[in-house]
Amino acid sequence: MARYAEPGALEWVESGGGPLIAVPETVLPFWAGADSEELDTDYDRACEVDGYVGLLPVGDSAALVFGDEPAATSFLPDHATFVRWSAANSEEELLAEVPAALDTAAWGSEVHWRVPGPVLLFDSAWPGGSAAGQEHLRIDLAPGSYAVRAAYVQPGPETWVGLVQLRRLGH
């Protein structure tokens, strides 16, 4: 697979062309990806998500689907934000623009996501049971409910970044 995000300060996850997905570790075995006998696979359901983010039921929980474009994605715990690399000359340039992007973002409507704990971010085409053996990122989220909002921002002349921010509810 072509790597667009050069190795640097963060680990980046990319897909083979479809959406990325964050699935709670406890329900990973229930995500079949594109490997299913069903006519409408889990991967097909992920591809049908409209907008920047959406939720899909998985087991007794839900997965967060990163829609729109298959941009390289990482997580910034200090901002509780997934960062999606749409355009930038370097990781350093992209990350330097994140604070301004967060301040100026025109956020879309929120979805509420309840998680039982840590999640794995990976290509939605992979079955959850094999995700740990593929390119993935583990995000150590505390159990609870989160408000999730997303935006695409152009904080610099050659920098476009997608933001998916989590805000813990009622903890």
Side-chain angles (χ1 to χ4, degrees):
M1 167 182 358
R3 299 260 342 145
Y4 298 99
E6 293 299 320
L10 297 177
E11 287 184 55
W12 295 88
V13 175
E14 297 183 8
S15 81
L20 293 174
I21 190 164
V23 179
E25 283 182 334
T26 58
V27 295
L28 278 172
F30 298 104
W31 182 260
D35 295 344
S36 174
E37 300 300 317
E38 304 295 322
L39 286 171
D40 193 23
T41 67
D42 286 342
Y43 174 75
D44 293 332
R45 293 188 311 135
C47 290
E48 291 170 5
V49 167
D50 259 346
Y52 299 138
V53 292
L55 297 174
L56 288 178
V58 180
D60 63 358
S61 192
L64 182 65
V65 179
F66 295 78
D68 192 43
E69 64 177 50
T73 303
S74 193
F75 187 73
L76 300 176
D78 293 349
H79 298 287
T81 301
F82 289 93
V83 176
R84 310 198 69 211
W85 186 331
S86 291
N89 291 319
S90 68
E91 178 185 75
E92 183 179 4
E93 178 182 289
L94 180 80
L95 295 177
E97 297 286 358
V98 166
L102 287 166
D103 288 343
T104 61
W107 299 101
S109 57
E110 291 184 343
V111 296
H112 288 192
W113 185 31
R114 183 158 183 74
V115 297
V119 300
L120 247 60
L121 175 72
F122 60 97
D123 186 333
S124 61
W126 293 108
S130 67
Q134 307 302 324
E135 183 177 309
H136 72 280
L137 184 62
R138 184 179 188 269
I139 297 96
D140 193 17
L141 296 180
S145 293
Y146 292 83
V148 181
R149 62 185 186 169
Y152 268 89
V153 184
Q154 184 181 4
E158 296 182 20
T159 305
W160 282 91
V161 61
L163 304 169
V164 177
Q165 190 171 54
L166 308 178
R167 180 174 44 87
R168 187 112 185 260
L169 300 172
H171 56 110

